[in-house]
C-alpha cells in the first residue's frame, strides 16, 4: 500500500504532536519563575482580557519593572487569554498554551524542512529526513527553558512567525505577489523583535537557492544585483518595523549589560558553548555564572574566535558545493539569529538557553544536511541497502529518544523555584543571583538559617545587587531583627535605580511596623514607577483604610478596577466604602456566601483586632475544619486565648502550630510570651 503525500504529511504532523506531548507530559504544573513575577504574577494588566487593545498602545503594560518594559503586545495578549481561560494565575493553562504553540511551530518546521530538502536530498528521503530533523528540534532539551519559562514564550512565538513567514513565501504564490510574508514578519515582531531576522534569512535563501549562487558571489556585483530589488524592499520594511518597535518602547527599557566591547569578545565563546550544547545538552542552566572576559587574550576568548572563524569558513566553503547548500543555509540561519543577543548590545546575562531556540532551527538544518552527506558517503561500507536504512533509522531513533528523556528530566528541574535554583547553584556555584534565588526558596519554607547562608554567599559575588539586599531585609524582618532588616532595605533602595520592588518591600515592611505615613510614601512611589504593580496597590489600600483616608482609598480602588474589573481587593474596599458596613460585617457576609479557608482566617484576625476573642477562636476553628494543618489558624486560636490571659491554652495551640511549621516566628514568640506570663504569676504568688 502506498502512502500519498497528503497522508504522509498528516502522519508526520501527528508523530510530531505525540512526541512533544510525551516529552512535555510532566511540565503542565510547573510554576512561574523569575521574570514571570513582574510580567505575569504582579502584572494587573494581564488579568483582564479587555486590556488587550491597551497592550498594542502602551509598552508599560508588559511589565511592572520599567527597565523590562519591552513592546511585546502579542505575548501580553496570549498571557491575558491564558488568565481568562483559567480564570486565575494557575500555571497549568499557561503551560498548555506554550505546548500548543510549540506543536504548531514544529509542524510548520516540518514543512519548511521538506521544502529545503528538495534542493539537496534525494526525493525518496526528503520527507523522512525532514521528519527526523523536526523531531530532534521538537524534543531537544535546550528547548525546555523556552517552553517551561512562561514569559519566554516570546522566543517561541518569534520562531513561529519566522517559520510561518518562510512557509508563506515558499508555498504560496499569492503571498509572494502581495508580500503577505512581510506582514507575518511584522506581526511576529510584536511578539519579539528578533523576528526581524526573517528578512536576512529570506535574502540568503533567495541568493543561495533561487538565484543558485554561493556566498562568495556576494562579492560579485553581477550576482548581487539580482537580489537588489527584493533586498531594498525587505530591508526597508525591516528598518520601518525596527523603528516602530523602538518608538513604542519606553526610554526606561535597558538591556542590563555594561561594556559593549567585553560583551562582544565573550560572545564567540558563548556561541561555541551553544553549539556544543546542541550535541551534548547536559550542562544546561537557567542562569550560568559565566562572566564577560576582561581581555581578548583570554584563552576562552581565543578559542571562541577560532571556533567562530571555523564555522564561518565552513559556511562559505559549503556554499560552493551544490549538494551542501543546506549546510550553508543552516549555519547562516544559526548565526544570523544569534546576532541580536551576541552583538554590541550587552545584556546582563552573558548567555541564556532560551536565546538558542530560534537559532537552533538553523543548526538543525545544518546538522541534518551534514549527517545526510556523511551517511550517503558511508553507504558503500554497508552490506545492503536495507542494512544502511536500518542503521540510519536506528541512529535517529536513539537520538530522538535520548533527547525526549533529557527534556522530560529537564522539565523536572523547572517544576518549582526550589528545584530550578538548586540546579543552578549546583552547576553555577559562583552565580550570586542563583544563590539568592535558592535562598528565597528556603526562606519560603521557613528554613531561615540556610536562606541567610545563601544570601550572604550571593553577596560575595554581587554586593551591589538591589534585590539581594531587599531579600535580606525580608529575611531579617521575618526573624524579628528589625534594625538589620531596615539597614538592608535602605541598601536595596540605594542600588534600586528605577525599580519599584525595593519601594514596595520597604513600604510593606513599614506597614507591618505600623509606620503608616512612611509606608504610604514608599508604596505610592512604587506605583508611580509602575502603575500596574498590583501588590503595591493592595497594600496601599490597606494603608489608606487604616489611616481613614477615604478619599484616597476611593481613588485607588477605582483606578485599580479600571485595570481589572474583577480585582477582589479593590471590589472589597469598594463594597466597604459604599455599603457603609464595617470590615467585620463584610468579612462575615463573605464567609457565609463563600466559606473559604482564607476568608475564615481573615475574619479571625479581624475579630482579634476588634477584641472579640471568642469570635476570633470560632472563626479560626472553622478555618481548621477546612485545613486541619493550618499553623495560622492554630496560632490565631492561641493568640486569642493569650489575649484572654488563658496562657496554658496559648502555649497548647501555638505549640501545635510549631509542630506544623517549626520556624513560625510569631507562634514562637507567643509561646515564649505565655511562658513568661506564667512565671510572673508564679513569682507573684510566692
Amino acid at each position: 500500500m502506498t502512502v500519498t503525500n497528503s497522508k504522509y504529511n498528516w502522519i508526520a504532523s501527528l508523530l510530531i504532536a505525540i512526541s512533544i506531548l510525551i516529552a512535555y507530559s510532566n511540565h503542565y504544573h510547573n510554576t512561574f519563575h523569575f521574570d514571570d513575577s513582574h510580567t505575569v504574577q504582579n502584572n494587573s494588566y494581564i488579568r483582564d482580557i479587555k486590556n488587550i487593545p491597551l497592550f498594542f498602545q502602551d509598552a508599560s503594560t508588559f511589565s511592572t519593572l520599567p527597565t523590562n518594559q519591552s513592546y511585546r503586545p502579542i505575548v501580553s495578549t496570549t498571557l491575558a487569554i491564558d488568565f481568562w481561560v483559567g480564570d486565575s494565575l494557575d500555571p497549568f493553562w499557561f503551560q498548555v498554551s506554550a505546548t500548543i504553540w510549540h506543536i504548531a511551530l514544529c509542524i510548520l518546521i516540518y514543512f519548511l524542512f521538506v521544502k529545503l530538502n528538495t534542493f539537496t536530498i534525494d526525493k525518496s528521503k526528503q520527507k523522512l529526513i525532514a521528519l527526523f530533523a523536526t523531531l530532534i528540534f521538537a524534543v531537544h532539551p535546550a528547548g525546555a527553558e523556552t517552553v517551561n519559562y512562561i514569559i519566554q514564550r516570546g522566543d517561541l512565538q518569534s520562531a513561529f512567525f519566522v517559520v510561518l513567514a518562510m512557509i508563506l513565501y515558499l508555498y504560496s504564490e499569492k503571498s509572494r505577489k502581495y508580500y503577505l510574508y512581510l506582514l507575518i514578519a511584522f506581526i511576529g515582531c510584536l511578539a519579539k523583535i528578533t523576528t526581524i531576522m526573517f528578512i536576512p534569512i529570506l535574502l540568503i535563501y533567495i541568493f543561495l537557492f533561487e538565484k543558485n549562487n554561493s556566498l562568495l558571489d556576494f562579492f560579485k556585483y553581477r550576482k548581487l544585483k539580482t537580489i537588489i530589488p527584493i533586498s531594498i524592499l525587505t530591508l526597508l520594511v525591516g528598518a520601518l518595523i525596527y523603528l516602530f518597535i523602538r518608538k513604542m518602547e519606553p526610554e526606561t527599557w535597558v538591556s542590563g549589560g555594561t561594556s559593549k566591547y567585553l560583551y562582544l569578545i565573550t560572545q564567540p565563546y558563548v556561541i561555541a558553548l551553544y553549539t556544543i550544547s546542541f550535541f551534548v545538552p547536559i550542562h544546561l542552566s537557567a542562569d550560568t555564572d559565566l562572566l564577560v572576559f576582561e581581555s581578548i587574550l583570554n584563552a576562552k576568548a581565543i578559542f571562541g574566535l577560532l571556533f567562530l572563524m571555523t564555522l564561518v569558513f565552513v559556511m562559505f566553503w559549503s556554499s560552493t558545493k551544490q549538494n551542501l547548500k543546506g549546510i550553508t543555509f543552516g549555519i547562516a540561519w544559526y548565526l544570523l539569529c544569534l546576532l541580536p543577543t551576541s552583538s554590541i548590545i550587552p545584556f546582563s546575562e552573558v548567555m541564556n538557553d532560551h536565546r538558542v531556540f530560534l537559532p537552533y532551527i538553523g543548526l538543525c538544518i545544518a546538522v541534518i544536511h551534514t549527517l545526510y552527506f556523511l551517511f550517503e558517503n558511508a553507504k558503500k561500507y554497508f552490506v545492503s541497502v536495507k542494512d544502511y536504512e536500518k542503521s540510519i533509522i536506528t541512529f535517529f531513533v536513539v537520538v530522538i529518544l535520548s533527547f525526549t528523556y533529557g527534556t522530560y528530566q529537564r522539565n523536572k528541574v523547572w517544576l518549582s523555584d526550589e528545584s530550578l535554583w538548586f540546579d543552578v547553584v549546583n552547576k553555577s556555584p559562583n552565580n550570586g543571583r542563583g544563590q539568592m534565588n535558592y535562598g528565597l526558596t528556603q526562606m519560603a519554607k521557613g528554613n531561615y538559617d540556610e536562606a541567610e547562608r545563601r544570601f550572604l554567599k550571593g553577596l560575595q559575588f554581587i554586593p551591589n545587587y538591589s534585590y539581594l539586599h531587599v531579600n535580606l531585609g525580608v529575611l531579617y524582618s521575618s526573624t524579628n531583627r528589625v534594625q538589620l532588616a531596615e539597614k538592608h532595605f535602605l541598601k536595596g533602595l540605594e542600588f534600586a535605580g528605577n525599580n519599584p520592588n525595593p519601594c514596595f518591600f520597604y513600604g510593606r515592611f513599614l506597614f507591618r511596623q505600623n509606620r503608616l505615613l512612611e509606608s504610604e510614601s514608599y508604596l505610592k512611589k512604587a506605583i508611580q514607577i509602575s502603575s500596574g504593580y498590583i501588590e503595591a496597590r493592595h497594600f496601599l489600600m490597606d494603608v489608606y483604610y487604616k489611616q481613614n483616608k477615604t478619599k484616597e482609598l476611593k481613588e485607588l480602588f477605582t483606578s485599580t478596577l479600571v485595570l481589572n474589573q474583577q480585582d477582589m481587593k479593590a471590589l472589597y474596599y469598594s463594597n466597604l466604602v459604599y455599603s457603609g458596613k464595617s470590615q467585620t460585617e463584610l468579612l462575615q457576609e463573605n464567609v457565609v456566601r463563600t466559606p473559604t479557608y482564607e476568608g475564615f482566617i481573615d475574619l479571625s484576625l479581624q475579630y482579634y483586632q476588634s477584641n472579640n476573642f471568642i469570635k476570633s477562636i470560632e472563626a479560626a476553628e472553622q478555618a481548621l475544619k477546612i485545613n486541619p494543618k493550618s499553623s495560622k489558624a492554630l496560632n490565631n486560636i492561641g493568640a486569642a486565648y493569650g489575649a484572654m490571659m488563658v496562657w496554658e491554652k496559648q502555649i497548647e495551640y501555638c505549640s501545635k502550630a510549631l509542630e506544623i511549621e517549626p520556624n513560625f516566628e510569631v507562634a514562637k514568640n507567643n509561646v515564649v510570651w505565655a511562658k513568661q506570663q506564667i512565671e510572673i504569676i508564679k513569682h507573684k504568688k510566692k
Side-chain angles (χ1 to χ4, degrees), residues 207 213-226:
F207 194 74
N213 296 314
S214 75
L215 291 185
L216 295 174
D217 291 327
F218 267 125
F219 305 104
K220 300 174 182 176
Y221 177 73
R222 180 173 55 85
K223 298 282 189 177
L224 191 58
K225 72 177 183 180
T226 59

Side-chain angles (χ1 to χ4, degrees), residues 173-239:
E173 290 184 12
K174 185 177 289 188
S175 175
R176 291 196 196 201
K177 181 179 179 181
Y178 296 107
Y179 302 102
L180 297 179
Y181 53 89
L182 291 177
L183 174 62
I184 295 299
F186 170 69
I187 294 172
C189 286
L190 301 183
K192 195 168 185 179
I193 198 169
T194 49
T195 311
I196 207 168
M197 300 315 295
F198 159 75
I199 289 174
I201 288 170
L202 175 64
L203 294 177
I204 291 287
Y205 169 83
I206 294 171
F207 194 74
L208 281 176
F209 296 112
E210 291 189 359
K211 304 301 181 182
N212 198 26
N213 296 314
S214 75
L215 291 185
L216 295 174
D217 291 327
F218 267 125
F219 305 104
K220 300 174 182 176
Y221 177 73
R222 180 173 55 85
K223 298 282 189 177
L224 191 58
K225 72 177 183 180
T226 59
I227 65 163
I228 285 178
I230 187 68
S231 297
I232 292 173
L233 173 65
T234 54
L235 291 172
L236 177 61
V237 170

Side-chain angles (χ1 to χ4, degrees), residues 8 11-13 15-16 110 113-114 117 125-136 400:
Y8 189 98
I11 293 171
S13 299
L15 280 172
I16 291 165
Y110 164 74
F113 288 175
V114 167
N117 289 351
K125 301 183 183 72
Q126 288 169 4
K127 292 194 173 183
L128 184 62
I129 295 296
L131 177 59
F132 284 145
T134 304
L135 289 173
I136 286 172
I400 291 163

